[in-house]
Amino acid sequence: MRTFPLTLAAALAATLLLTACDDGKTGDDDAKNADPANGSACAIDDLGVEVGAGAAPAAGDTGNVTVTLTNQGAQCTLKGFPSVDLAAEDGTTSVSPEEGAKAQPLTLGKGGTTSFTITYVRGEAGSAKSLAVRKASFALPGAPEDAHDLTWSYGEVARRDGSGGAAQASVSGFESSGD
């Protein structure tokens, strides 16, 4: 009578052990090998773009330009920061991520939204210490060749180190929106 429960317990343990075995892939491997329709990088052509601004009213003031993206395609993932360039007649400058910001992967289902914010210091009009920005371009992580252009109507942007310096601007990471 005692051998039956031990045999049953051994068979149950073997079954559980076999069930727990996997194909040797880790969670990271699973993410890398995800079905493209369920976890591929987001493409700019699949996203609706809306821009809202809290423009800086005067030189020295801080302004924010918020870009909201709505996924109109299959589920996709954003990993990293958006790349942002500010273009003026005398050149283009890249905007760095906010100091201390850490990019978090964000998955967007169809209809899902996210946003990022460009924060800038308004420059003095006509000053060599300002960049007369006319256009901002942004691209998604991993796809710098697919940039989306925005008309910049928020005034000049101050330079960090006077004339010739980089713009006093930064870009946030992607923020999740809604539930």
Side-chain angles (χ1 to χ4, degrees), residues 99-133:
E99 190 173 322
K102 295 186 188 232
Q104 301 293 326
L106 179 65
T107 300
L108 291 177
K110 185 170 184 164
T113 60
T114 186
S115 63
F116 65 90
T117 301
I118 303 165
T119 302
Y120 70 99
V121 175
R122 183 150 182 186
E124 187 177 327
S127 171
K129 295 180 180 181
S130 298
L131 183 65
V133 177

Side-chain angles (χ1 to χ4, degrees), residues 81 97-104 171-173:
F81 288 91
E98 289 177 348
E99 190 173 322
K102 295 186 188 232
Q104 301 293 326
V171 63
S172 73

Side-chain angles (χ1 to χ4, degrees), residues 118-168:
I118 303 165
T119 302
Y120 70 99
V121 175
R122 183 150 182 186
E124 187 177 327
S127 171
K129 295 180 180 181
S130 298
L131 183 65
V133 177
R134 299 293 171 242
K135 176 178 76 170
S137 297
F138 75 88
L140 302 177
E145 66 282 354
D146 294 328
H148 183 85
D149 294 336
L150 308 170
T151 300
W152 188 269
S153 58
Y154 315 113
E156 296 191 19
V157 177
R159 295 181 187 266
R160 290 193 189 282
D161 300 317
S163 63
Q168 285 189 32

Side-chain angles (χ1 to χ4, degrees), residues 11-160:
L12 182 58
T15 302
L16 289 173
L17 184 60
L18 289 174
T19 305
C21 289
D22 66 13
D23 58 4
K25 291 182 179 178
T26 64
D28 287 340
D29 289 336
D30 291 342
K32 290 177 191 171
N33 297 318
D35 178 5
N38 293 326
S40 65
C42 294
I44 197 70
D45 291 341
D46 292 334
L47 301 174
V49 178
E50 290 183 40
V51 179
D61 291 341
T62 301
N64 295 298
V65 177
T66 301
V67 178
T68 302
L69 306 172
T70 303
N71 184 13
Q72 299 170 341
Q75 179 174 305
C76 63
T77 302
L78 295 164
K79 294 179 183 176
F81 288 91
S83 63
V84 176
D85 290 326
L86 300 177
E89 289 180 18
D90 61 345
T92 300
T93 185
S94 294
V95 176
S96 298
E98 289 177 348
E99 190 173 322
K102 295 186 188 232
Q104 301 293 326
L106 179 65
T107 300
L108 291 177
K110 185 170 184 164
T113 60
T114 186
S115 63
F116 65 90
T117 301
I118 303 165
T119 302
Y120 70 99
V121 175
R122 183 150 182 186
E124 187 177 327
S127 171
K129 295 180 180 181
S130 298
L131 183 65
V133 177
R134 299 293 171 242
K135 176 178 76 170
S137 297
F138 75 88
L140 302 177
E145 66 282 354
D146 294 328
H148 183 85
D149 294 336
L150 308 170
T151 300
W152 188 269
S153 58
Y154 315 113
E156 296 191 19
V157 177
R159 295 181 187 266
R160 290 193 189 282

